[in-house]
Amino acid sequence: MDRDRSTVWHPYAAMPGTVDPTPVIGAEGARLHLADGRRVVDGMSSWWAAIHGYRHPVLDAAVSDQLDDMAHVMFGGLTHGPAVELAEALVEITPEGLEHVFLADSGSVSVEVAMKMALQYARGVGRDGRDRFLTVRGGYHGDTLHAMSVCDPVNGMHRMFAGVLPEQLFAPVPRPRFDETCTDEDVAELRALLTADADRIAAVILEPIVQGAGGMRFYAPGYLRRVRALCDEFEVLLIADEIATGFGRSGRLFACEHADVSPDILCLGKALTGGYVSMAATLCTSEVARGVTAADSGALMHGPTFMGNPLASAVSLASVRLLLSRDWQSEVGGIESGLRSGLDHASSIDGVVDVRVLGAIGVIERDEPVDMEVATQVSLDHGVWLRPFGRLVYAMPPFVATAEDIASITAAMVAVAESA
Ligand SMILES: *Cc1c(COP(=O)(O)O)cnc(C)c1O
């Protein structure tokens, strides 16, 4: 623990570390094996990623089979089966019109690539001066600099990086909740921003239906449909960031399907590899690809060293096929009803302001932030790994979690919410 504290950075952490992390020595199915001998249910799917659970035999085999061929080769000038098959599979299962795939090495990079595509597209089609992005408040798109610039300006790191981040345009948090209708009034400010500044805007970027790390909110499909219509009206591209929502998490394979909407550019990550290694993807339409390629450079100016990594591609392909071969709708539907019944009474807890569930995502929102150290202890004592942030106690379990696992998770969430 001393060596960890003095040497290794953890996410959003001080150096040296101020809080002891929990040592893990293994994981299997929906469980993490802690160094102290406890086996706890993972309520977080390692941040949305491990949808099939840990050490899945099919995914393990995909990695070891690929190791027999090669772990990695550069992607400049070379190609290989796993990358091509993965790209084809993603085109096949994602919303209509997305035809081309850029394999990036993390979610934030896929957002950078999406934004770069939009900027190059603007240049390629002669819409110079479109260098800004329009988004909604309450969003999260990653931690690299351009991705940060479209994160929520209050929750995000805008103040710290004022003067460094490009200044983007922000519409209010989508108001209508998932099951509410969306009115003209709800998109009035978005429309006003587009009316005033469309000729400066390369794209609208947002998380469809589920705003993740920016506040865990679920908004109305009707809102997303109106955003799509406004983008068409003002000839602005729409970037959908489905890094958290992709691959069934919200109850549809992709959250855009709730609204029957296709974006011009789509970002995928997190569950793409089934949580095995880091990989992400940026998909775009043929129209976007044509515009990007028509720009001066004649090419998309991005190419990470580990682009299209064969191990990551092979395990992603196996994870996608495994998901489609399972009755994932029933699994996610079962988790949804388990979360709903387990969190049923949470809204009456002192200090709880909202409880919401969509697909395999459950959220308790409090009026005050939780104490992380207390929360960790309380949830581990309930046999569950949770990682609340701020005022939000939430879970997105692996799809392989059983009804008992979900009951443990909701009991732990309630206990954490009560622990204040
Ligand atoms: C996690 C996340 C990202 C960033 O992905 P990383 O792999 O952490 O870089 C971007 N957008 C959304 C919606 C995310 O949930």
Side-chain angles (χ1 to χ4, degrees):
M1 200 56 72
D2 285 345
R3 286 156 61 198
D4 181 287
R5 274 188 180 227
S6 60
T7 314
V8 191
W9 288 105
H10 283 267
Y12 313 104
M15 180 58 67
T18 51
V19 181
D20 283 347
T22 304
V24 177
I25 53 170
E28 186 148 15
R31 282 184 168 61
L32 303 177
H33 301 174
L34 306 186
D36 65 9
R38 285 188 284 181
R39 303 196 160 192
V40 297
V41 179
D42 179 12
M44 307 302 290
S45 299
S46 284
W47 276 337
W48 314 84
I51 52 174
H52 303 297
Y54 301 93
R55 290 197 63 199
H56 193 288
V58 170
L59 303 189
D60 282 6
V63 174
S64 52
D65 289 353
Q66 183 56 43
L67 270 177
D68 290 339
D69 294 337
M70 59 194 162
H72 182 65
V73 290
M74 65 187 281
F75 211 47
L78 298 176
T79 194
H80 49 81
V84 176
E85 284 192 58
L86 174 62
E88 285 179 348
L90 294 178
V91 166
E92 165 101 25
I93 64 173
T94 50
E96 192 75 35
L98 298 161
E99 307 282 352
H100 311 289
V101 183
F102 186 100
L103 296 171
D105 32 17
S106 77
S108 300
V109 172
S110 79
V111 170
E112 296 287 334
V113 170
M115 295 174 87
K116 200 184 270 189
M117 278 178 179
L119 294 171
Q120 281 197 234
Y121 174 82
R123 285 160 177 72
V125 298
R127 295 182 193 156
D128 293 348
R130 291 194 180 224
D131 288 342
R132 302 283 136 195
F133 291 85
L134 171 57
T135 186
V136 291
R137 289 175 186 270
Y140 176 76
H141 296 285
D143 293 342
T144 54
L145 287 161
H146 244 79
M148 258 199 300
S149 76
V150 286
C151 290
D152 183 84
V154 180
N155 290 340
M157 291 167 268
H158 287 245
R159 199 158 324 139
M160 188 186 334
F161 293 109
V164 178
L165 296 185
E167 280 181 29
Q168 314 294 14
L169 298 155
F170 291 90
V173 171
R175 187 208 57 83
R177 294 169 67 108
F178 182 77
D179 51 7
E180 293 178 352
T181 48
C182 179
T183 64
D184 285 341
E185 188 58 32
D186 293 323
V187 292
E189 211 151 326
L190 196 69
R191 172 179 282 283
L193 287 164
L194 282 162
T195 306
D197 275 318
D199 57 357
R200 297 202 302 141
I201 298 172
V204 170
I205 177 168
L206 45 65
E207 296 152 281
I209 309 300
V210 177
Q211 291 191 297
M216 302 296 293
R217 290 184 198 84
F218 314 139
Y219 66 84
Y223 183 93
L224 184 58
R225 267 194 295 276
R226 281 169 187 265
V227 171
R228 174 73 271 184
L230 284 169
C231 286
D232 291 341
E233 185 182 334
F234 288 92
E235 296 190 304
V236 168
L237 297 178
L238 177 60
I239 302 173
D241 178 350
E242 292 232 22
I243 291 168
T245 49
F247 306 102
R249 178 59 65 182
S250 74
R252 304 297 295 263
L253 196 53
F254 297 98
C256 283
E257 294 175 14
H258 287 287
D260 216 358
V261 151
S262 285
D264 302 291
I265 300 174
L266 174 72
C267 297
L268 302 175
K270 291 198 162 105
L272 171 65
T273 63
Y276 268 53
V277 284
S278 181
M279 179 176 244
T282 311
L283 284 80
C284 73
T285 62
S286 300
E287 166 62 18
V288 170
R290 195 188 56 75
V292 166
T293 309
D296 278 349
S297 58
L300 178 62
M301 297 311 286
H302 213 96
T305 305
F306 287 97
M307 185 168 177
N309 173 261
L311 284 175
S313 300
V315 75
S316 296
L317 183 62
S319 176
V320 169
R321 286 182 175 157
L322 179 60
L323 181 66
L324 299 180
S325 75
R326 305 172 68 102
D327 188 3
W328 64 267
Q329 283 101 331
S330 305
E331 291 173 346
V332 171
I335 293 173
E336 176 162 16
S337 37
L339 291 171
R340 277 189 205 288
S341 55
L343 299 179
D344 201 24
H345 298 298
S347 45
S348 59
I349 299 169
D350 225 29
V352 167
V353 294
D354 192 41
V355 177
R356 47 191 182 264
V357 172
L358 181 69
I361 312 167
V363 183
I364 300 177
E365 182 172 342
R366 292 162 29 104
D367 55 3
E368 297 275 342
V370 294
D371 179 318
M372 279 280 245
E373 272 188 278
V374 174
T376 302
Q377 278 321 312
V378 169
S379 67
L380 288 180
D381 287 346
H382 280 75
V384 175
W385 172 248
L386 294 175
R387 184 80 179 156
F389 69 80
R391 302 182 295 106
L392 301 167
V393 183
Y394 67 106
M396 53 282 196
F399 299 169
V400 294
T402 63
E404 294 86 78
D405 294 338
I406 301 301
S408 304
I409 289 170
T410 54
M413 289 173 70
V414 166
V416 168
E418 281 170 339
S419 70

